[in-house]
Amino acid sequence: MKKKKIGVYICHCGGNISDYVDVEKVRQAVEGEDIVFLAKTTMFACSDANQREMVNDIEANGLTSVVVASCSPKLHLLTFRNVSQRANLNKYTYVHANIREQASWAHSDNKIGATEKAIHLVKAAIAKANYAEALESNKVKAQKSVAIIGAGVAGMKAAISLSNKDCEVILIEKEPFVGGRVAQWNSLSTTTETGKEIVKRLYDDLITRDNITICTNSEVISNKGSVGNFTLKIKTTPRYIRQSFHPEDLTRAIEVCPVSVPDEFNFRLTQRKAIYKNYPGEYPQTPVIDIKNCTRCGACEKVCPAVDFNEKEEITEITVGSVLMATGFDPYTPGYGEFGYATSENVITLPQFKRLIDEQSGTLVYKGKVIKNIAYIYCVGSRQTKGDNTYCSRNCCTSTIHAAVTAKSKFPDINNFHFNRGLRTYGKQEILYADSLRSGDIYLQSYEDGLPTVTIEGNKTIVKINDILTNGKEIEVEADLVVLVTGMVPRADNKVGTLFKLPKGRDKFYNEIHMKLRPVETVIDGVTIAGACQGPKNIAESVNSALSAATKSYSIISKGELESEPLVAIIDQDKCTWCGACEKACPFDAILKVEDKGKIVAEINNSVCKGCGMCAPVCEPDAINVTACSSTEIMSMIDTLV
Amino acid sequence: MEESLKSICYDALVIGAGIAGGEAALNLANTGYKVLLVDKELSVGGKMIMLSKVFPTLDCAACITTPKVSEISRHPNITIFTGSEVSNIRKLSDNEFAAKVTKKPRYVHVEDCTACQLCEKACPTSVRDQYQFGLIGRKAAFIPFSICSPKAAAIDIDNCTLCGACERACPTHCIDFTMETETIELHVKTIIVATGFNLFDPNNMPRYGYGKFKNVITAMQMEREIAPTRPYHTILRPGDGKVPDRIAYVLCVGSRDASVGNPICSQICCMYSIKQAQLLMGALPMADVTIYYINIRSFGKGFEEFYQQAKGMGVNFVKGKIGRISEKENGNLILRYEDINKGKLQEAEHDMVILSTGVLPNKGIDGLFENETLYLDEFSFVGQSDKLASPAKTSIGGVFVAGAATGPMDIPDSILSAGAASSEAISYIIQHA
């Protein structure tokens, strides 16, 4: 083996490292190593000037490998691999040492210890660099198509955006109709367009496009493969109504259906039939038979020849290059008795209230009672001090004020009382708050440790609060209607997320790679997240994230080919005895059982393998090595460390 | 004269190289489009590159911005003009815009400059450093800031005495006083406006004493004090260099305040103030930090938890708007306010006050366009023609908007908005090919 010539750079990170680690001491400790040709310190290793200097050093001195001791490899591994590449070194000869998160930040109370640990980490990296080999990336063909899961506004916008870029789109919606939550709203703030009109506008655009396939009543039930080539199985439940139908026949069919179930579209405020459509202008226009609740009495069949109970469930298999998740949110369902929910007839949730004011005109009536005083209780299911939902749901303050203002303009006799915990009408939404104050809405704010209470006395509901804004005075309102401002929670049914092994955060929403700079990408290559499945958002924010996710998905597959890391597991098939332990340990289903020379052995699917190394330690005959983390490399690192 | 103009063509022009403009440019470039990225400052990176750490992850802003900046600077499909301004934009057809780019002379040949700082040492002229928000001085021959990109010196010609010392000191002879303003005629297919925001000038609120009381600073100045590339290496109050131990934050300075012409909420100040408070508690463990607020708006992902964490660390939150600040002889400050929780008028003494100034529009963007009208909204931010369903669209077809040019926005929202703008721009180019 040719003797290595290694360049070592130790970064101050502008004080993040050098405030606790004596970087000069680290430099001195490693410069004498046999294979170290040069060792330098630098203020910011990642700066352009330093990168240029590294390229010059590599080229001028013929370095064979570079080690940078700086921050987490998550931040800058790629940066320095690229530097090596620009200097005509194989980028996989680069080795990273993390002395910020692992030394300076972790041991800010012990500068001497932090420095010592940093020296060890850098020496270990040098030992690894001694064995680092040149590797070539794997090239994988990528399908120029994207599966979008969820046809709410985010999914629909992402579909249009990708279609515009000549990309094939399969838009998959679990519900029988598109439009998601926005289809449920009429009046929206900051626009005269209703939610239903926005959905119609998007749908009208969608259906003109040849490169978008819309699958409603459909669910992804399995996922194989990886970025560039995801093979998905889609299960489509039939509508039991043929495409061509006479609208009058269908109206009669709905009339004659004897079944009555709570209407989820109206948040169970009303009932619907087993054959139904949520609202007249809904898309697709074909109604659907809710087969779970259908009694198969046949009444609809008799009046409408388009009804067809012989339609069968279909399974389709598609292969796409990328998957864009836009599965949205659920409104929080209050617990039994939470602020009188389900224990008092006068208590409803904000989504129910929004449906209620949409449906009524003239006088506001709920359960036969004329409504005059409305109490809105904020942060129900959000910012919980005793529950799991510690987060703020972002959109509810504005949404509530908008609903209250809308209700007031439609039903001028009502009085709005807002029992809040500090209004969060951020940005331009502040104007709406000011409008509501001007229109006479009353705002009462609770102390953090004294939330409002709802007392039920007969058919009366009394809301009490110690109001911060009037010096803690106890104020009570006899409310005809109590509206619980319920926040957003992640979808209860998350099977599809599990299929893609999408990680979730503490708040149980899907987690992005980086909260600040990479909000729509996930750690699963090729899977992006859009809209409220990543965290609470309003419509405009969901659309922005949908278009961002579409751009990221598109840029992955637009070239029709992608490079994948050569860091994969390698099986020594002579040693392999196929015990199956590696297959069980692999979190990516990358290990296949194959026959080789008459022997059953394991084989790695390189495009799926992430090189995580879970398989190597469970292999009893030691038949598995991981590239760039071979036993030789790891042992040499351990020798240096101990 | 027209003949002397250089003419260049790109697929897209991105105006503003902050985090939104940079992200939009990268998205376009990564899908194969040629982008010209123009910024009037001497470095790319906008406001984000100047920050200390970011909420709620507490990542070092420099550490996460610089890789992005390097990626932008090195991208083969991106050309960057710093110190340059765009004007006279004309829409010639659906897929062609013409514009003028004026490149002001830097008086330094960037490709030859090694950022050795010898010119800085040689320069006899000192002025206030705008990149440290006036906390310290810099020379007239200077490197804008340590992590700027391009990392090269510049001559501040307005303050230069033309003594020639820098020229003599420069080992690579890259300083060149004969450089002239270049005007370039530009042709592009689409434009993204990512011109960012301005911060409210607290001189417009004399009752807080900014500019008069030395120990009243802005939150942006505090960002610099706690940034890794900070001017003092510790936290000092500017009046006398004392390390402060009773620090106050005044929120909503120039926001939610119709009396100064800005009725809207700036969306970021609560969070950056809470972040700074946490960093100060870490840097000065003995210091008391108080935040005076109207409402705490910790609405984003992880924000509420971050706010609760600050409370847990002992940051003191007081609900009440500061009415007036006065100065004591020793430089300490008396804050007069109504403590809403107690329902009482109160006064409190602090030795340093930080004004959390709000976000204002960067005015005059509409003036860049010649034959089309770029509509602004009622607050003078760039207007959105389809606010909910296509937030990146403006009143001009083919011109899109990203980031805080449309209104107050934090970093992730700017990234998302930039993603939307670049998505629309890519679609526009393909659809109008």
Side-chain angles (χ1 to χ4, degrees):
Chain A
M1 194 167 77
K2 207 177 120 197
K3 196 183 151 198
K4 298 275 172 132
K5 272 171 101 176
I6 296 172
V8 183
Y9 298 83
I10 300 138
C11 181
H12 286 253
C13 198
N16 273 305
I17 293 170
S18 54
D19 283 356
Y20 309 107
V21 169
D22 185 339
V23 291
E24 178 52 29
K25 213 167 164 186
V26 178
R27 194 193 69 78
Q28 288 166 6
V30 301
E31 89 181 315
E33 296 255 323
D34 184 33
I35 51 174
V36 172
F37 184 82
L38 60 86
K40 293 181 171 179
T41 64
T42 165
M43 181 54 78
F44 285 103
C46 54
S47 74
D48 266 351
N50 184 67
Q51 290 189 31
R52 251 198 329 257
E53 191 176 323
M54 285 172 68
V55 171
N56 289 343
D57 285 350
I58 297 169
E59 287 179 340
N61 303 309
L63 300 181
T64 58
S65 179
V66 169
V67 172
V68 176
S70 60
C71 53
S72 157
K74 268 191 172 175
L75 281 169
H76 281 308
L77 176 73
L78 291 181
T79 311
F80 297 118
R81 270 193 193 159
N82 290 340
V83 170
S84 297
Q85 197 170 29
R86 285 205 303 283
N88 299 315
L89 274 186
N90 183 287
K91 64 180 175 183
Y92 296 102
T93 57
Y94 170 73
V95 181
H96 197 92
N98 178 0
I99 58 164
R100 191 178 76 181
E101 278 83 344
Q102 292 178 4
S104 80
W105 281 358
H107 306 287
S108 53
D109 54 339
N110 179 358
K111 292 186 185 181
I112 294 169
T115 304
E116 229 168 82
K117 185 171 176 187
I119 291 171
H120 273 99
L121 290 170
V122 180
K123 283 189 170 170
I126 294 167
K128 184 167 194 284
N130 194 22
Y131 294 99
E133 283 172 39
L135 302 168
E136 289 308 320
S137 317
N138 295 318
K139 293 230 160 62
V140 186
K141 258 208 153 51
Q143 301 287 330
K144 211 178 159 186
S145 56
V146 177
I148 299 176
I149 304 177
V153 161
M156 290 164 94
K157 278 297 296 186
I160 293 170
S161 158
L162 286 161
S163 157
N164 277 335
K165 299 174 180 67
D166 297 331
C167 178
E168 201 68 37
V169 177
I170 296 101
L171 181 57
I172 304 158
E173 172 58 53
K174 192 170 66 173
E175 297 294 322
F177 305 99
V178 302
R181 298 290 174 198
V182 177
Q184 287 174 292
W185 315 135
N186 275 3
S187 169
L188 303 172
S189 66
T190 71
T191 171
T192 52
E193 205 173 23
T194 67
K196 293 182 174 61
E197 283 163 355
I198 289 185
V199 169
K200 179 177 182 337
R201 174 150 68 100
L202 298 181
Y203 187 82
D204 286 346
D205 189 351
L206 278 177
I207 52 172
T208 60
R209 293 160 185 270
D210 298 334
N211 55 3
I212 300 181
T213 312
I214 307 172
C215 311
T216 48
N217 240 3
S218 301
E219 274 182 88
V220 179
I221 52 167
S222 81
N223 157 46
K224 269 207 184 110
S226 60
V227 59
N229 299 281
F230 290 99
T231 303
L232 312 179
K233 273 204 182 110
I234 302 170
K235 183 179 90 182
T236 304
T237 310
R239 300 181 97 81
Y240 302 104
I241 295 170
R242 280 190 288 270
Q243 287 276 330
S244 58
F245 56 86
H246 255 282
E248 293 112 65
D249 291 351
L250 262 176
T251 317
R252 293 228 15 236
I254 296 172
E255 272 168 24
V256 299
C257 175
V259 178
S260 174
V261 291
D263 186 354
E264 292 295 338
F265 185 79
N266 281 336
F267 300 100
R268 305 172 84 89
L269 279 177
T270 55
Q271 300 285 113
R272 66 155 166 80
K273 300 296 182 70
I275 170 169
Y276 74 101
K277 222 170 138 171
N278 288 320
Y279 63 97
E282 190 160 37
Y283 293 99
Q285 298 249 309
T286 316
V288 65
I289 293 177
D290 165 8
I291 205 74
K292 281 198 196 100
N293 287 303
C294 171
T295 59
R296 306 293 282 265
C297 71
C300 55
E301 237 176 333
K302 282 180 202 128
V303 297
C304 178
V307 171
D308 179 2
F309 283 103
N310 293 322
E311 284 187 355
K312 291 272 172 314
E313 189 178 280
E314 273 176 44
I315 307 275
T316 0
E317 197 174 87
I318 56 166
T319 304
V320 293
S322 171
V323 176
L324 189 154
M325 296 284 271
T327 50
F329 69 97
D330 281 331
Y332 171 76
T333 308
Y336 181 81
E338 188 174 355
F339 296 107
Y341 184 75
T343 51
S344 164
E345 285 220 323
N346 304 335
V347 179
I348 62 174
T349 65
L350 178 66
Q352 288 178 320
F353 179 67
K354 294 206 297 195
R355 296 299 309 143
L356 185 70
I357 56 174
D358 281 351
E359 301 269 300
Q360 299 206 1
S361 54
T363 323
L364 185 60
V365 177
Y366 180 65
K367 300 225 163 153
K369 197 168 78 179
V370 174
I371 304 298
K372 197 157 182 333
N373 289 341
I374 305 176
Y376 304 88
I377 299 180
Y378 283 65
C379 302
V380 177
S382 309
R383 298 175 67 190
Q384 289 176 329
T385 43
K386 285 187 192 113
D388 288 337
N389 301 346
T390 51
Y391 58 90
C392 161
S393 281
R394 187 170 182 138
N395 186 39
C396 359
C397 281
T398 304
S399 182
T400 310
I401 298 173
H402 175 72
V405 169
T406 311
K408 181 107 181 173
S409 63
K410 205 166 170 184
F411 314 104
D413 289 341
I414 62 164
N415 299 314
N416 291 322
F417 298 91
H418 299 262
F419 292 80
N420 69 84
R421 287 174 66 187
L423 263 298
R424 292 183 167 176
T425 43
Y426 56 90
K428 297 176 198 166
Q429 300 171 117
E430 184 73 13
I431 299 303
L432 184 67
Y433 177 27
D435 285 349
S436 129
L437 283 168
R438 263 193 299 276
S439 77
D441 280 16
I442 292 170
Y443 286 83
L444 305 144
Q445 188 181 337
S446 57
Y447 289 91
E448 293 285 293
D449 55 354
L451 299 182
T453 55
V454 177
T455 326
I456 304 161
E457 291 172 14
N459 57 2
K460 285 185 184 170
T461 36
I462 319 276
V463 186
K464 272 188 209 159
I465 189 173
N466 290 321
D467 175 34
I468 289 182
L469 307 174
T470 48
N471 194 14
K473 216 178 268 170
E474 185 177 275
I475 293 177
E476 61 174 62
V477 172
E478 190 191 322
D480 303 311
L481 190 64
V482 176
V483 177
L484 304 185
V485 177
T486 47
M488 297 187 186
V489 293
R491 286 274 185 196
D493 176 7
N494 181 39
K495 285 194 291 267
V496 68
T498 317
L499 278 183
F500 291 94
K501 299 197 166 73
L502 277 185
K504 288 183 281 181
R506 262 185 311 186
D507 54 13
K508 312 264 171 51
F509 287 98
Y510 293 138
N511 244 4
E512 60 290 309
I513 287 189
H514 191 272
M515 209 186 261
K516 294 303 264 192
L517 294 180
R518 296 175 77 183
V520 298
E521 294 157 273
T522 70
V523 290
I524 310 299
D525 290 343
V527 180
T528 55
I529 45 177
C533 69
Q534 182 258 357
K537 283 182 191 61
N538 66 24
I539 298 173
E541 289 157 357
S542 291
V543 169
N544 273 342
S545 95
L547 295 183
S548 294
T551 312
K552 296 293 178 197
S553 278
Y554 177 69
S555 69
I556 295 168
I557 55 166
S558 61
K559 293 175 197 86
E561 189 183 66
L562 41 97
E563 278 189 22
S564 73
E565 294 262 298
L567 308 183
V568 292
I570 298 165
I571 309 259
D572 181 341
Q573 295 188 332
D574 292 336
K575 282 194 197 167
C576 176
T577 55
W578 184 263
C579 61
C582 56
E583 190 194 25
K584 280 195 207 101
C586 177
F588 300 101
D589 298 330
I591 296 179
L592 312 168
K593 185 176 170 182
V594 296
E595 208 187 298
D596 182 61
K597 297 169 206 148
K599 185 179 153 197
I600 303 290
V601 289
E603 189 177 275
I604 305 290
N605 175 356
N606 280 355
S607 64
V608 183
C609 177
K610 297 263 178 253
C612 71
M614 296 293 279
C615 53
V618 301
C619 178
E620 225 166 289
D622 200 15
I624 304 179
N625 242 328
V626 180
T627 46
C629 290
S630 65
S631 301
T632 336
E633 282 161 274
I634 301 294
M635 290 314 289
S636 70
M637 290 174 82
I638 294 173
D639 285 345
T640 322
L641 287 169
V642 292
Chain B
M1 278 307 285
E2 283 299 307
E3 294 87 332
S4 69
L5 285 183
K6 268 201 234 164
S7 179
I8 49 175
C9 294
Y10 287 90
D11 291 316
L13 165 67
V14 178
I15 311 173
I19 196 66
E23 170 78 5
L26 269 180
N27 284 338
L28 280 153
N30 284 337
T31 38
Y33 295 100
K34 299 267 176 210
V35 184
L36 180 69
L37 181 59
V38 179
D39 203 288
K40 62 179 191 310
E41 292 297 331
L42 292 167
S43 168
V44 300
K47 293 210 177 48
M48 185 180 172
I49 203 167
M50 320 282 351
L51 303 179
S52 54
K53 297 195 178 190
V54 293
F55 58 81
T57 54
L58 289 182
D59 284 313
C60 146
C63 309
I64 62 172
T65 315
T66 44
K68 203 109 193 162
V69 164
S70 308
E71 205 183 335
I72 297 163
S73 323
R74 278 201 317 268
H75 205 293
N77 289 340
I78 301 177
T79 306
I80 301 171
F81 285 180
T82 49
S84 302
E85 290 192 48
V86 176
S87 64
N88 306 79
I89 303 174
R90 296 169 316 279
K91 187 169 180 173
L92 306 178
S93 69
D94 270 345
N95 60 3
E96 192 179 14
F97 290 86
K100 208 163 96 182
V101 183
T102 313
K103 214 176 169 185
K104 283 172 288 180
R106 193 178 181 118
Y107 303 105
V108 171
H109 291 288
V110 170
E111 55 289 357
D112 297 331
C113 176
T114 60
C116 67
Q117 296 180 295
L118 289 177
C119 57
E120 267 186 12
K121 290 197 183 89
C123 177
T125 311
S126 285
V127 291
R128 273 190 187 275
D129 184 351
Q130 72 268 41
Y131 295 105
Q132 300 285 6
F133 293 85
L135 286 174
I136 51 169
R138 63 154 171 84
K139 296 299 184 65
F142 68 115
I143 306 229
F145 49 95
S146 67
I147 50 171
C148 65
S149 173
K151 179 129 189 207
I155 309 292
D156 168 6
I157 206 73
D158 295 335
N159 289 300
C160 171
T161 58
L162 295 174
C163 70
C166 56
E167 229 178 335
R168 287 189 294 277
C170 178
T172 62
H173 309 293
C174 68
I175 295 173
D176 175 2
F177 283 101
T178 67
M179 275 182 155
E180 282 181 27
T181 301
E182 266 185 89
T183 310
I184 297 153
E185 174 84 9
L186 173 71
H187 289 261
V188 293
K189 296 169 182 161
T190 181
I191 297 173
I192 292 177
V193 177
T195 43
F197 64 97
N198 280 327
L199 284 162
F200 176 78
D201 177 4
N203 282 307
N204 295 327
M205 276 177 98
R207 64 178 188 275
Y208 289 161
Y210 181 79
K212 199 166 75 183
F213 308 149
K214 281 191 174 144
N215 297 324
V216 177
I217 65 168
T218 67
M220 202 59 189
Q221 289 176 314
M222 182 49 92
E223 282 295 328
R224 294 310 308 151
E225 286 212 23
I226 48 185
T229 50
R230 55 197 179 270
Y232 308 142
H233 272 285
T234 179
I235 292 137
L236 305 172
R237 63 176 200 176
D240 48 14
K242 172 178 175 284
V243 175
D245 55 21
R246 294 170 74 190
I247 303 166
Y249 276 83
V250 180
L251 297 195
C252 299
V253 177
S255 313
R256 301 182 73 186
D257 189 345
S259 73
V260 292
N262 187 30
I264 66 172
C265 157
S266 290
Q267 208 159 315
I268 55 171
C269 329
C270 284
M271 291 309 294
Y272 74 58
S273 303
I274 292 173
K275 169 199 72 182
Q276 291 190 359
Q278 290 198 14
L279 295 175
L280 286 170
M281 306 275 299
L284 308 170
M286 299 312 287
D288 288 330
V289 183
T290 306
I291 294 182
Y292 295 92
Y293 67 95
I294 308 178
N295 297 116
I296 291 293
R297 294 189 160 163
S298 46
F299 56 83
K301 189 161 177 167
F303 291 8
E304 178 68 15
E305 293 86 340
F306 193 70
Y307 166 39
Q308 297 304 334
Q309 178 177 305
K311 280 205 252 176
M313 288 170 75
V315 177
N316 183 21
F317 286 87
V318 176
K319 186 172 169 73
K321 178 138 178 143
I322 301 299
R324 194 176 62 226
I325 297 173
S326 49
E327 192 185 37
K328 282 177 60 174
E329 239 171 61
N330 63 0
N332 285 4
L333 302 144
I334 307 293
L335 276 62
R336 192 175 159 79
Y337 64 101
E338 183 193 359
D339 186 326
I340 304 282
N341 280 351
K342 295 187 182 135
K344 265 190 222 150
L345 271 183
Q346 301 225 300
E347 285 193 345
E349 184 174 335
H350 292 275
D351 56 6
M352 189 173 186
V353 171
I354 294 122
L355 304 179
S356 298
T357 52
V359 170
L360 295 182
N362 209 342
K363 284 191 180 164
I365 310 303
D366 50 338
L368 304 183
F369 293 83
E370 261 180 11
N371 65 345
E372 296 262 350
T373 309
L374 184 79
Y375 286 107
L376 303 183
D377 72 6
E378 57 194 300
F379 313 107
S380 301
F381 286 102
V382 175
Q384 296 159 292
S385 65
D386 186 0
K387 230 180 254 182
L388 299 189
S390 290
K393 283 191 177 158
T394 68
S395 57
I396 306 174
V399 177
F400 304 99
V401 61
T406 60
M409 221 174 257
D410 60 17
I411 294 164
D413 280 344
S414 296
I415 293 279
L416 293 178
S417 149
S422 46
S423 167
E424 303 267 17
I426 295 167
S427 297
Y428 188 87
I429 297 173
I430 295 175
Q431 299 300 309
H432 293 88

